[in-house]
Amino acid sequence: MDRTRPPAATGTAFNGASVSINTSALVAGVHTIYVRVQDAATNWSAVSSATLTVIRAVNDAYSTLLNTSNNSSNPANNRTQSFTINSGNGVLVNDQPTGVSGRTATPANPVVTKTSGSANGSMTVALNTNGSFTYTLSVPASTGVTGNANIRAAKRGTYQFTYTEVLGGATSTATVTITVN
């Protein structure tokens, strides 16, 4: 293939000033699109090019094992626990394209939903742009849950939140699932 010239035009003619491109079959990354137009007198314009960035955020799953070794004997001290996932294991690690600088993560919905387990436990998430995040499990005293074993049990369950991968003007959203055992 001669890469010094744009490839021959293929596709469907369209009328108007815009066109939609289905990117579902494209590999994640930066693609070059070549365009030329024909006027009413059948004259062709010069070929122009534009870039199209395709990204794909991929759902993530993490798990945490709550144990007694890190917990205080005082239940009041065990109501809140925080865990940090570094960027090397963060939400952007499996997103595409890989190895491209400039990708960031932003919360799509900062609300964490507990999809299974006791309604007394809750989680908050602080997501950093590099994909690392800290999640905090808590069981407020106002729930009436007492005793270390009961507080741990209330934290257990499955939690979810969504984030958006951003690269330039392209975005893609995925779900993070955290299982607390």
Side-chain angles (χ1 to χ4, degrees):
M1 174 180 205
D2 180 1
R3 295 195 181 267
T4 61
R5 295 182 320 150
T10 60
T12 305
F14 65 95
N15 292 323
S18 66
V19 64
S20 295
I21 298 172
N22 180 350
T23 62
S24 63
L26 293 176
V27 175
V30 178
H31 300 270
T32 302
I33 300 170
Y34 297 95
V35 179
R36 64 181 183 159
V37 295
Q38 189 176 34
D39 64 19
T42 70
N43 298 311
W44 286 98
S45 70
V47 175
S48 295
S49 65
T51 58
L52 172 68
T53 302
V54 177
I55 63 174
R56 290 202 173 71
V58 178
N59 293 342
D60 300 283
Y62 300 89
S63 63
T64 296
L65 178 62
L66 295 180
N67 61 42
T68 57
S69 63
N70 293 329
N71 295 327
S72 166
S73 60
N74 180 353
N77 296 335
N78 293 323
R79 293 199 173 276
T80 302
Q81 286 179 290
S82 294
F83 302 88
T84 298
I85 305 296
N86 63 32
S87 62
N89 294 311
V91 298
L92 293 176
V93 167
N94 62 342
D95 292 353
Q96 299 171 358
T98 59
V100 175
S101 63
R103 295 182 310 142
T104 61
T106 60
N109 182 356
V111 175
V112 178
T113 303
K114 190 169 187 181
T115 59
S116 72
S118 166
N120 291 321
S122 64
M123 178 186 289
T124 58
V125 173
L127 178 63
N128 300 307
T129 58
N130 67 359
S132 66
F133 63 97
T134 298
Y135 59 97
T136 303
L137 298 164
S138 63
V139 179
S142 61
T143 63
V145 175
T146 60
N148 283 334
N150 293 333
I151 291 171
R152 279 192 306 277
K155 292 176 188 173
R156 291 186 179 106
T158 303
Y159 302 82
Q160 292 185 324
F161 70 95
T162 56
Y163 73 96
T164 300
E165 176 189 11
V166 180
L167 178 60
T171 62
S172 181
T173 300
T175 300
V176 177
T177 301
I178 301 172
T179 302
V180 180
N181 294 309

